[in-house]
Amino acid sequence: QSALTQPRSVSGSPGQSVTISCTGTSSDVGGYKYVSWYQQHPGKAPKLMIYDVSKRPSGVPDRFSGSKSGNTASLTISGLQAEDEADYYCCSYAGTYTWVFGGGTKLTVL
Amino acid sequence: EVQLVESGGGLVQPGGSLRLSCAASGFTFSSYWMHWVRQAPGKGLVWVSRIDSDGSTTIYADSVKGRFTISRDNAKNTLYLQMNSLRAEDTAVYYCVRGSLYTFDYWGQGTLVTVSS
């Protein structure tokens, strides 16, 4: 499967909002309600931030939200904080018990 | 507290083999799908393989099919990845990941596999 398409980088100032897009096809993002987002700080393991398109695990701030329209999913982070600076990866179920990740987006908090 | 601790990584020559292990604790291991996800140095995450809760069904990414084998021992709360015919492009940090339905909810810290002569 081909990787989902994410912007290589996004940036924002503290307190602002940023949105990261994740574009796939009707065989993955568009075909299932199983899109998730992961935050990864340098040298650390990824952390689940959003699952099933828009659900937040316990402990994840409500500043993080997810949505989907057609073949494109989005992660929005509002009220940016310095600790949000990290790499973010989207992931979609792609059928027959396979999954595909996006290439990752580096978020810089200015 | 859910813990996933990988081991078994290291340096191996092209064409060689390596077996990774992942010791799980803090949850009922036998009730969950488990996965391996890898990340080449400086690159993104790539899903590698999935095994269902009783080990009866396994699925692989095309890039490792026929070379890697995922397995589990529910009595020992341990997940494995047998990697054969290793190539330079298999060099990566390998993460053991718990699956919660169609999501990856807990990740280990990873173990580095380097394939080089």
mmCIF file of all heavy atoms in Angstrom, chain B residues 1-29:
data_model
loop_
_atom_site.group_PDB
_atom_site.id
_atom_site.type_symbol
_atom_site.label_atom_id
_atom_site.label_comp_id
_atom_site.label_asym_id
_atom_site.label_seq_id
_atom_site.Cartn_x
_atom_site.Cartn_y
_atom_site.Cartn_z
ATOM 1 N N GLU B 1 -0.388 -0.835 34.971
ATOM 2 C CA GLU B 1 0.187 -0.029 33.888
ATOM 3 C C GLU B 1 0.639 -0.950 32.752
ATOM 4 O O GLU B 1 1.383 -1.898 32.965
ATOM 5 C CB GLU B 1 1.377 0.771 34.407
ATOM 6 C CG GLU B 1 2.080 1.604 33.362
ATOM 7 C CD GLU B 1 3.460 2.085 33.833
ATOM 8 O OE1 GLU B 1 3.891 1.707 34.936
ATOM 9 O OE2 GLU B 1 4.093 2.845 33.086
ATOM 10 N N VAL B 2 0.208 -0.611 31.547
ATOM 11 C CA VAL B 2 0.605 -1.396 30.375
ATOM 12 C C VAL B 2 2.087 -1.167 30.092
ATOM 13 O O VAL B 2 2.553 -0.032 30.033
ATOM 14 C CB VAL B 2 -0.225 -0.989 29.147
ATOM 15 C CG1 VAL B 2 0.315 -1.668 27.895
ATOM 16 C CG2 VAL B 2 -1.692 -1.325 29.368
ATOM 17 N N GLN B 3 2.815 -2.257 29.941
ATOM 18 C CA GLN B 3 4.231 -2.163 29.565
ATOM 19 C C GLN B 3 4.533 -3.144 28.451
ATOM 20 O O GLN B 3 4.087 -4.306 28.497
ATOM 21 C CB GLN B 3 5.127 -2.449 30.763
ATOM 22 C CG GLN B 3 5.190 -1.315 31.772
ATOM 23 C CD GLN B 3 6.413 -1.413 32.683
ATOM 24 O OE1 GLN B 3 6.798 -2.508 33.080
ATOM 25 N NE2 GLN B 3 7.009 -0.285 33.006
ATOM 26 N N LEU B 4 5.295 -2.670 27.482
ATOM 27 C CA LEU B 4 5.760 -3.493 26.371
ATOM 28 C C LEU B 4 7.259 -3.257 26.257
ATOM 29 O O LEU B 4 7.690 -2.122 26.046
ATOM 30 C CB LEU B 4 5.049 -3.099 25.074
ATOM 31 C CG LEU B 4 3.526 -3.274 25.073
ATOM 32 C CD1 LEU B 4 2.901 -2.566 23.868
ATOM 33 C CD2 LEU B 4 3.153 -4.751 25.063
ATOM 34 N N VAL B 5 8.046 -4.316 26.420
ATOM 35 C CA VAL B 5 9.501 -4.175 26.438
ATOM 36 C C VAL B 5 10.105 -5.074 25.366
ATOM 37 O O VAL B 5 10.069 -6.307 25.489
ATOM 38 C CB VAL B 5 10.082 -4.521 27.815
ATOM 39 C CG1 VAL B 5 11.606 -4.374 27.785
ATOM 40 C CG2 VAL B 5 9.475 -3.632 28.898
ATOM 41 N N GLU B 6 10.662 -4.448 24.340
ATOM 42 C CA GLU B 6 11.267 -5.187 23.237
ATOM 43 C C GLU B 6 12.716 -5.543 23.546
ATOM 44 O O GLU B 6 13.396 -4.833 24.293
ATOM 45 C CB GLU B 6 11.234 -4.370 21.934
ATOM 46 C CG GLU B 6 9.866 -3.930 21.476
ATOM 47 C CD GLU B 6 9.482 -2.549 21.958
ATOM 48 O OE1 GLU B 6 10.065 -2.101 22.980
ATOM 49 O OE2 GLU B 6 8.620 -1.913 21.334
ATOM 50 N N SER B 7 13.179 -6.609 22.939
ATOM 51 C CA SER B 7 14.576 -7.013 23.046
ATOM 52 C C SER B 7 14.945 -7.816 21.806
ATOM 53 O O SER B 7 14.064 -8.215 21.030
ATOM 54 C CB SER B 7 14.813 -7.846 24.310
ATOM 55 O OG SER B 7 14.024 -9.022 24.293
ATOM 56 N N GLY B 8 16.258 -8.040 21.626
ATOM 57 C CA GLY B 8 16.705 -8.869 20.529
ATOM 58 C C GLY B 8 17.291 -8.130 19.345
ATOM 59 O O GLY B 8 17.791 -8.760 18.406
ATOM 60 N N GLY B 9 17.217 -6.814 19.355
ATOM 61 C CA GLY B 9 17.788 -6.055 18.247
ATOM 62 C C GLY B 9 19.308 -6.099 18.258
ATOM 63 O O GLY B 9 19.926 -6.557 19.224
ATOM 64 N N GLY B 10 19.910 -5.626 17.173
ATOM 65 C CA GLY B 10 21.358 -5.605 17.094
ATOM 66 C C GLY B 10 21.829 -5.497 15.666
ATOM 67 O O GLY B 10 21.044 -5.226 14.757
ATOM 68 N N LEU B 11 23.122 -5.736 15.484
ATOM 69 C CA LEU B 11 23.734 -5.666 14.168
ATOM 70 C C LEU B 11 23.763 -7.051 13.536
ATOM 71 O O LEU B 11 24.200 -8.025 14.173
ATOM 72 C CB LEU B 11 25.167 -5.128 14.292
ATOM 73 C CG LEU B 11 26.021 -5.079 13.024
ATOM 74 C CD1 LEU B 11 25.400 -4.132 11.997
ATOM 75 C CD2 LEU B 11 27.442 -4.652 13.357
ATOM 76 N N VAL B 12 23.317 -7.142 12.297
ATOM 77 C CA VAL B 12 23.298 -8.425 11.587
ATOM 78 C C VAL B 12 23.712 -8.179 10.140
ATOM 79 O O VAL B 12 23.450 -7.106 9.585
ATOM 80 C CB VAL B 12 21.900 -9.082 11.681
ATOM 81 C CG1 VAL B 12 20.836 -8.192 11.053
ATOM 82 C CG2 VAL B 12 21.898 -10.461 11.061
ATOM 83 N N GLN B 13 24.367 -9.149 9.546
ATOM 84 C CA GLN B 13 24.798 -9.029 8.154
ATOM 85 C C GLN B 13 23.631 -9.254 7.198
ATOM 86 O O GLN B 13 22.669 -9.966 7.541
ATOM 87 C CB GLN B 13 25.909 -10.032 7.857
ATOM 88 C CG GLN B 13 27.213 -9.748 8.581
ATOM 89 C CD GLN B 13 28.339 -10.638 8.110
ATOM 90 O OE1 GLN B 13 28.101 -11.714 7.559
ATOM 91 N NE2 GLN B 13 29.572 -10.194 8.302
ATOM 92 N N PRO B 14 23.701 -8.665 6.016
ATOM 93 C CA PRO B 14 22.667 -8.925 5.003
ATOM 94 C C PRO B 14 22.537 -10.423 4.761
ATOM 95 O O PRO B 14 23.537 -11.148 4.683
ATOM 96 C CB PRO B 14 23.199 -8.208 3.762
ATOM 97 C CG PRO B 14 24.063 -7.115 4.302
ATOM 98 C CD PRO B 14 24.693 -7.676 5.540
ATOM 99 N N GLY B 15 21.288 -10.872 4.678
ATOM 100 C CA GLY B 15 21.011 -12.291 4.508
ATOM 101 C C GLY B 15 20.870 -13.036 5.821
ATOM 102 O O GLY B 15 20.455 -14.209 5.830
ATOM 103 N N GLY B 16 21.190 -12.380 6.920
ATOM 104 C CA GLY B 16 21.129 -13.019 8.224
ATOM 105 C C GLY B 16 19.747 -13.014 8.839
ATOM 106 O O GLY B 16 18.770 -12.561 8.232
ATOM 107 N N SER B 17 19.682 -13.546 10.060
ATOM 108 C CA SER B 17 18.413 -13.669 10.773
ATOM 109 C C SER B 17 18.521 -13.058 12.161
ATOM 110 O O SER B 17 19.616 -12.952 12.724
ATOM 111 C CB SER B 17 18.019 -15.145 10.912
ATOM 112 O OG SER B 17 17.826 -15.741 9.658
ATOM 113 N N LEU B 18 17.360 -12.709 12.690
ATOM 114 C CA LEU B 18 17.280 -12.138 14.029
ATOM 115 C C LEU B 18 15.881 -12.408 14.557
ATOM 116 O O LEU B 18 14.914 -12.429 13.779
ATOM 117 C CB LEU B 18 17.523 -10.629 13.961
ATOM 118 C CG LEU B 18 18.205 -9.900 15.119
ATOM 119 C CD1 LEU B 18 19.547 -10.529 15.464
ATOM 120 C CD2 LEU B 18 18.381 -8.424 14.774
ATOM 121 N N ARG B 19 15.755 -12.649 15.859
ATOM 122 C CA ARG B 19 14.423 -12.794 16.458
ATOM 123 C C ARG B 19 14.233 -11.739 17.519
ATOM 124 O O ARG B 19 15.009 -11.662 18.481
ATOM 125 C CB ARG B 19 14.220 -14.183 17.066
ATOM 126 C CG ARG B 19 12.773 -14.395 17.520
ATOM 127 C CD ARG B 19 12.487 -15.790 18.023
ATOM 128 N NE ARG B 19 12.793 -15.942 19.444
ATOM 129 C CZ ARG B 19 12.189 -16.821 20.240
ATOM 130 N NH1 ARG B 19 11.253 -17.624 19.757
ATOM 131 N NH2 ARG B 19 12.540 -16.907 21.503
ATOM 132 N N LEU B 20 13.192 -10.954 17.345
ATOM 133 C CA LEU B 20 12.820 -9.946 18.331
ATOM 134 C C LEU B 20 11.787 -10.528 19.287
ATOM 135 O O LEU B 20 10.953 -11.339 18.892
ATOM 136 C CB LEU B 20 12.235 -8.711 17.648
ATOM 137 C CG LEU B 20 13.075 -8.056 16.550
ATOM 138 C CD1 LEU B 20 12.372 -6.805 16.032
ATOM 139 C CD2 LEU B 20 14.471 -7.752 17.026
ATOM 140 N N SER B 21 11.851 -10.070 20.532
ATOM 141 C CA SER B 21 10.863 -10.452 21.539
ATOM 142 C C SER B 21 10.249 -9.213 22.145
ATOM 143 O O SER B 21 10.867 -8.141 22.158
ATOM 144 C CB SER B 21 11.505 -11.289 22.652
ATOM 145 O OG SER B 21 12.056 -12.477 22.148
ATOM 146 N N CYS B 22 9.055 -9.360 22.653
ATOM 147 C CA CYS B 22 8.369 -8.254 23.327
ATOM 148 C C CYS B 22 7.646 -8.824 24.542
ATOM 149 O O CYS B 22 6.705 -9.603 24.389
ATOM 150 C CB CYS B 22 7.382 -7.592 22.373
ATOM 151 S SG CYS B 22 6.263 -6.407 23.176
ATOM 152 N N ALA B 23 8.098 -8.438 25.718
ATOM 153 C CA ALA B 23 7.474 -8.886 26.959
ATOM 154 C C ALA B 23 6.374 -7.913 27.353
ATOM 155 O O ALA B 23 6.622 -6.712 27.498
ATOM 156 C CB ALA B 23 8.522 -8.981 28.052
ATOM 157 N N ALA B 24 5.173 -8.444 27.512
ATOM 158 C CA ALA B 24 4.020 -7.611 27.826
ATOM 159 C C ALA B 24 3.589 -7.803 29.277
ATOM 160 O O ALA B 24 3.667 -8.917 29.812
ATOM 161 C CB ALA B 24 2.858 -7.952 26.901
ATOM 162 N N SER B 25 3.129 -6.718 29.888
ATOM 163 C CA SER B 25 2.613 -6.797 31.254
ATOM 164 C C SER B 25 1.608 -5.689 31.478
ATOM 165 O O SER B 25 1.538 -4.722 30.714
ATOM 166 C CB SER B 25 3.759 -6.698 32.270
ATOM 167 O OG SER B 25 4.432 -5.465 32.142
ATOM 168 N N GLY B 26 0.816 -5.842 32.526
ATOM 169 C CA GLY B 26 -0.143 -4.809 32.895
ATOM 170 C C GLY B 26 -1.492 -4.920 32.222
ATOM 171 O O GLY B 26 -2.348 -4.051 32.402
ATOM 172 N N PHE B 27 -1.694 -5.971 31.423
ATOM 173 C CA PHE B 27 -2.986 -6.181 30.771
ATOM 174 C C PHE B 27 -3.098 -7.658 30.421
ATOM 175 O O PHE B 27 -2.123 -8.410 30.501
ATOM 176 C CB PHE B 27 -3.130 -5.307 29.534
ATOM 177 C CG PHE B 27 -2.173 -5.617 28.408
ATOM 178 C CD1 PHE B 27 -2.588 -6.346 27.293
ATOM 179 C CD2 PHE B 27 -0.858 -5.178 28.443
ATOM 180 C CE1 PHE B 27 -1.718 -6.629 26.261
ATOM 181 C CE2 PHE B 27 0.020 -5.452 27.419
ATOM 182 C CZ PHE B 27 -0.400 -6.189 26.319
ATOM 183 N N THR B 28 -4.306 -8.072 30.036
ATOM 184 C CA THR B 28 -4.542 -9.465 29.672
ATOM 185 C C THR B 28 -4.071 -9.681 28.239
ATOM 186 O O THR B 28 -4.807 -9.458 27.273
ATOM 187 C CB THR B 28 -6.025 -9.824 29.816
ATOM 188 O OG1 THR B 28 -6.459 -9.523 31.149
ATOM 189 C CG2 THR B 28 -6.247 -11.311 29.544
ATOM 190 N N PHE B 29 -2.809 -10.096 28.114
ATOM 191 C CA PHE B 29 -2.141 -10.200 26.812
ATOM 192 C C PHE B 29 -2.948 -11.041 25.833
ATOM 193 O O PHE B 29 -3.068 -10.680 24.653
ATOM 194 C CB PHE B 29 -0.745 -10.800 27.029
ATOM 195 C CG PHE B 29 0.078 -10.959 25.790
ATOM 196 C CD1 PHE B 29 0.599 -9.860 25.116
ATOM 197 C CD2 PHE B 29 0.359 -12.226 25.292
ATOM 198 C CE1 PHE B 29 1.373 -10.010 23.979
ATOM 199 C CE2 PHE B 29 1.133 -12.395 24.150
ATOM 200 C CZ PHE B 29 1.641 -11.276 23.489
#
